[in-house]
Amino acid sequence: MKEIRNKNQMNNKIRLHAPATVANLVCGFDVLGLALQEPYDIMEMELLAEPVVLIKHEDRFGLPTDPQHNVAGVVLLAMVEALHNTCGFKLTINKQILPGSGLGSSAASAAGAAAGANRLLNNRFTQHELVQFAMLGEKLATGVKHADNIAPALYGGVTLIRAIHPLDIVRLEPPPLHVSVVHPQIEVRTSDARQILKKQILLKDAIKQWGNVAGLVAGLLQKDYELIGRSLEDVIIEPVRSILIPGFDELKKNCLLAGALGGGISGSGPSVFMLSKEAGTALAVTKVMSELYERLQIPFYSYTTTINTEGIKFAVI
Amino acid sequence: MKEIRNKNQMNNKIRLHAPATVANLVCGFDVLGLALQEPYDIMEMELLAEPVVLIKHEDRFGLPTDPQHNVAGVVLLAMVEALHNTCGFKLTINKQILPGSGLGSSAASAAGAAAGANRLLNNRFTQHELVQFAMLGEKLATGVKHADNIAPALYGGVTLIRAIHPLDIVRLEPPPLHVSVVHPQIEVRTSDARQILKKQILLKDAIKQWGNVAGLVAGLLQKDYELIGRSLEDVIIEPVRSILIPGFDELKKNCLLAGALGGGISGSGPSVFMLSKEAGTALAVTKVMSELYERLQIPFYSYTTTINTEGIKFAVI
């Protein structure tokens, strides 16, 4: 093991928090995402001298422990192979981000594993390489090697995936924003959510959408909250996908009345998120979300949080 | 006339420069545009006590002098009406931006007239109102009340038209950029250029486009020249419209080889523009453009300039 440690790297055990993420940021379908302060998965990792990957769960979800069938496992196996089998990893996962929530649960595991392993390896890989490793986890989870949630989980803040081939990720520093999230306990399969989208769209709708995407990026970078609010409009995906989420139109209307800048479906749902300028507004928005699902008698989880601008957070054990 | 002048407004005659503009900034079709330092129209305006609009041309284009059939004239008539016929304007135009160049020639006249009148009126109207007045000129010229060239001509720099109803214009401060422009002497009618566009596009192409739009806005605001370059890609409009411009593919390839960050069709053509980080590169790019049209034996004009960040420029006579 000595060959992969140097004098500055004294710890071979770490603990980390891997954040939940919101992909498909309203108008930014498939390109914009953000990382949340809460919820997050807690992971503990240890560097091993043997080329093995050991996985243990400390939660109630019964996810696979065979690394070949675990989203974090396939990431670590690929990293071990890239290191010519000179080391291995032991990983303990305490998952707090509910699988199937639309909050990047699998991406948190994959990104957390990649970033944790890299920290144990004294940052041998670049951030870009970590994205590539972590995408293997998404491939296992969803069948598609996408970076929509991986990018914000690793980079923090708001991320733009400008292009996929070759992968071009741009980090955007957002102004302080408060985020309300509600996760109604219904199932929306990512594959179903993608299947109902039309393959062709009207050019005039696409122009509206890229006007809003440009406005959202400008609003974030120029810290113009009103522009952010005006740009949080999706004329293409939301009208189709929102039918999968009970009460969506009323939910959104009520959140805007409560003062939210705007928001929409998180990932492919069923979670819905809203952005607010002030903490108090975000609390009121979360209350409005909760009241709706109480009335609809649909069990739900809710969160009132902010944007995580760091990505994966480390703590030495 | 006294009622519309105050103590700070001592001049009732002004001279102004109204800039050429590039609309449809590559991926930013219908939403992004920029103002050029050169060429520009030279206009002289005088405030009159009578509610009349007098137009005189000092150029070779033979444009209408009847204000009802002149793009600057209809703007001024609308302003006179908004002022309840309490004043009028005399306008002398020396047009330097060639009509039909795709460089916003009509917008320069309309925007220059609106801004000039407003200066004579001691800034009685807001910038937003000036856009509305100037759009009447575009309506006369093209049949459509669009702000694609009006917005950059009035605001300077790079402008985003986030939405049309209601009109939402956002000014983006660009980093220093050098612009090469070639205007081959062929005719491309705006109406033809619009007609050949498909009404429906693939969702996957639209996603590529709004990834690039987001990248371009982020590149401009973060002053990241490489990101600007990578984002100057249009997968939807350019492949269709470029067939109207002789030698376009070779032109673009040669410009990129000469070091341009990227570029494309200006407005609906036939002018083509390229952005460069350095002045020397822009000169080399203009040379490459000129060489191609010399070889193709198509007469052309060319410009090597920068971005005009002020919009309409005033000089007291």
Side-chain angles (χ1 to χ4, degrees):
Chain A
M1 211 172 74
K2 268 178 188 147
E3 69 280 9
I4 57 160
R5 288 176 62 186
N6 72 17
K7 282 169 281 179
N8 301 322
Q9 172 63 39
M10 299 305 289
N11 297 293
N12 65 354
K13 260 192 177 181
I14 50 166
R15 178 185 288 145
L16 63 86
H17 292 174
T21 45
V22 171
N24 299 333
L25 210 52
V26 193
C27 46
F29 179 69
D30 264 6
V31 306
L32 290 172
L34 59 80
L36 297 172
Q37 285 289 8
E38 289 176 346
Y40 51 80
D41 288 350
I42 302 163
M43 298 165 83
E44 285 185 16
M45 287 184 76
E46 191 179 337
L47 191 62
L48 304 176
E50 306 300 315
V52 290
V53 173
L54 307 174
I55 292 177
K56 197 179 140 193
H57 294 291
E58 287 188 341
D59 53 48
R60 61 187 165 89
F61 302 113
L63 294 167
T65 52
D66 175 355
Q68 297 208 31
H69 297 102
N70 180 290
V71 292
V74 292
V75 173
L76 296 177
L77 285 172
M79 293 178 89
V80 168
E81 194 187 331
L83 294 162
H84 308 292
N85 294 311
T86 51
C87 65
F89 301 99
K90 184 178 163 187
L91 170 64
T92 306
I93 307 178
N94 182 343
K95 185 163 274 303
Q96 304 286 318
I97 309 164
L98 300 181
S101 58
L103 294 170
S105 181
S106 60
S109 295
N118 199 42
R119 179 62 65 101
L120 290 170
L121 296 164
N122 208 18
N123 300 320
R124 166 179 297 228
F125 296 106
T126 65
Q127 195 83 324
H128 193 84
E129 288 168 326
L130 296 187
V131 173
Q132 303 286 348
F133 282 123
M135 279 162 65
L136 299 171
E138 290 294 56
K139 168 94 174 147
L140 180 72
T142 68
V144 183
K145 259 177 80 173
H146 67 94
D148 298 14
N149 295 89
I150 297 289
L154 281 171
Y155 287 73
V158 175
T159 53
L160 161 66
I161 301 172
R162 189 198 59 83
I164 301 175
H165 303 295
L167 188 65
D168 187 1
I169 296 171
V170 182
R171 191 181 181 288
L172 308 176
E173 187 64 35
L177 281 164
H178 297 270
V179 194
S180 307
V181 179
V182 67
H183 170 200
Q185 300 295 291
I186 58 161
E187 194 185 350
V188 173
R189 279 199 233 163
T190 303
S191 53
D192 292 351
R194 194 159 273 272
Q195 216 142 27
I196 60 168
L197 296 179
K198 293 176 191 136
K199 287 201 168 58
Q200 294 229 327
I201 60 172
L202 291 173
L203 174 60
K204 71 180 178 63
D205 287 339
I207 292 167
K208 272 189 202 167
Q209 193 90 344
W210 65 61
N212 280 319
V213 168
L216 181 53
V217 171
L220 291 168
L221 295 180
Q222 297 183 337
K223 310 201 184 307
D224 180 339
Y225 289 93
E226 291 195 2
L227 177 55
I228 292 171
R230 295 198 302 278
S231 305
L232 286 170
E233 178 191 38
D234 172 5
V235 299
I236 292 173
I237 312 300
E238 186 179 287
V240 180
R241 280 195 171 171
S242 59
I243 56 170
L244 301 174
I245 297 167
F248 180 84
D249 290 346
E250 190 183 349
L251 181 75
K252 193 170 170 184
K253 198 181 107 198
N254 294 350
C255 290
L256 294 176
L257 283 173
L261 295 168
I265 303 165
S266 178
S268 52
S271 289
V272 174
F273 78 101
M274 287 284 152
L275 302 180
S276 296
K277 188 178 175 189
E278 309 291 346
T281 312
L283 284 168
V285 169
T286 308
K287 187 158 170 276
V288 156
M289 290 171 149
S290 306
E291 281 167 359
L292 181 87
Y293 285 114
E294 274 161 17
R295 182 154 57 75
L296 295 179
Q297 299 191 308
I298 295 170
F300 64 91
Y301 292 87
S302 69
Y303 310 91
T304 310
T305 183
T306 54
I307 294 183
N308 164 347
T309 55
E310 296 162 72
I312 312 291
K313 298 183 193 186
F314 293 98
V316 173
I317 301 174
Chain B
M1 211 174 76
K2 268 179 186 146
E3 67 279 9
I4 56 162
R5 286 177 63 186
N6 71 18
K7 282 169 279 180
N8 302 320
Q9 171 66 36
M10 297 307 289
N11 297 294
N12 66 354
K13 259 192 178 181
I14 50 167
R15 178 184 288 142
L16 63 87
H17 292 175
T21 45
V22 172
N24 300 333
L25 211 51
V26 194
C27 47
F29 178 71
D30 263 6
V31 305
L32 290 172
L34 59 79
L36 297 173
Q37 284 290 9
E38 289 176 348
Y40 51 81
D41 287 351
I42 302 164
M43 297 164 83
E44 286 183 14
M45 286 183 77
E46 190 179 337
L47 191 61
L48 304 178
E50 305 301 313
V52 290
V53 173
L54 307 174
I55 293 177
K56 196 179 142 194
H57 294 290
E58 287 188 341
D59 52 48
R60 60 187 166 89
F61 301 113
L63 294 168
T65 51
D66 175 355
Q68 298 207 33
H69 296 102
N70 180 289
V71 293
V74 291
V75 173
L76 295 178
L77 285 173
M79 293 177 88
V80 167
E81 194 187 331
L83 294 163
H84 308 292
N85 296 310
T86 50
C87 67
F89 301 98
K90 183 177 165 190
L91 169 64
T92 305
I93 307 178
N94 183 344
K95 187 163 272 303
Q96 304 287 318
I97 309 164
L98 300 181
S101 58
L103 294 171
S105 181
S106 59
S109 295
N118 198 42
R119 179 61 67 100
L120 289 170
L121 296 165
N122 209 18
N123 301 319
R124 164 178 300 224
F125 297 105
T126 66
Q127 195 82 325
H128 193 84
E129 288 169 325
L130 297 187
V131 174
Q132 303 286 349
F133 283 122
M135 279 162 64
L136 299 172
E138 290 294 54
K139 168 94 174 146
L140 179 72
T142 68
V144 183
K145 256 178 82 173
H146 68 93
D148 298 15
N149 295 88
I150 297 289
L154 281 172
Y155 287 72
V158 175
T159 52
L160 161 66
I161 300 172
R162 188 197 61 80
I164 300 175
H165 305 294
L167 188 65
D168 187 1
I169 296 172
V170 182
R171 193 182 179 286
L172 308 175
E173 186 64 35
L177 280 164
H178 298 270
V179 192
S180 307
V181 180
V182 69
H183 171 200
Q185 299 297 290
I186 58 162
E187 194 187 350
V188 172
R189 277 199 235 162
T190 305
S191 54
D192 291 351
R194 194 158 275 271
Q195 214 143 29
I196 60 170
L197 296 179
K198 292 173 192 139
K199 286 204 168 55
Q200 294 228 329
I201 60 172
L202 291 174
L203 174 59
K204 70 180 178 63
D205 288 340
I207 292 167
K208 271 188 202 167
Q209 194 90 345
W210 64 61
N212 281 320
V213 169
L216 181 53
V217 172
L220 291 167
L221 294 181
Q222 296 182 337
K223 309 199 183 311
D224 180 339
Y225 289 93
E226 292 195 1
L227 177 56
I228 292 171
R230 296 198 301 278
S231 306
L232 286 170
E233 179 191 38
D234 173 4
V235 298
I236 292 175
I237 311 300
E238 184 178 289
V240 180
R241 282 195 169 171
S242 59
I243 56 170
L244 300 175
I245 297 167
F248 181 85
D249 291 347
E250 189 183 350
L251 182 74
K252 190 169 172 184
K253 197 180 108 196
N254 294 350
C255 290
L256 295 176
L257 283 172
L261 295 168
I265 302 164
S266 179
S268 53
S271 288
V272 175
F273 78 101
M274 287 283 152
L275 302 180
S276 296
K277 187 179 174 188
E278 309 291 348
T281 312
L283 284 168
V285 169
T286 308
K287 188 159 171 274
V288 155
M289 290 171 149
S290 306
E291 281 167 359
L292 181 86
Y293 284 114
E294 275 162 17
R295 183 154 55 73
L296 295 179
Q297 299 190 307
I298 296 171
F300 64 91
Y301 293 88
S302 68
Y303 310 91
T304 310
T305 184
T306 54
I307 294 184
N308 164 347
T309 55
E310 296 161 73
I312 311 292
K313 298 185 196 185
F314 293 98
V316 173
I317 300 174

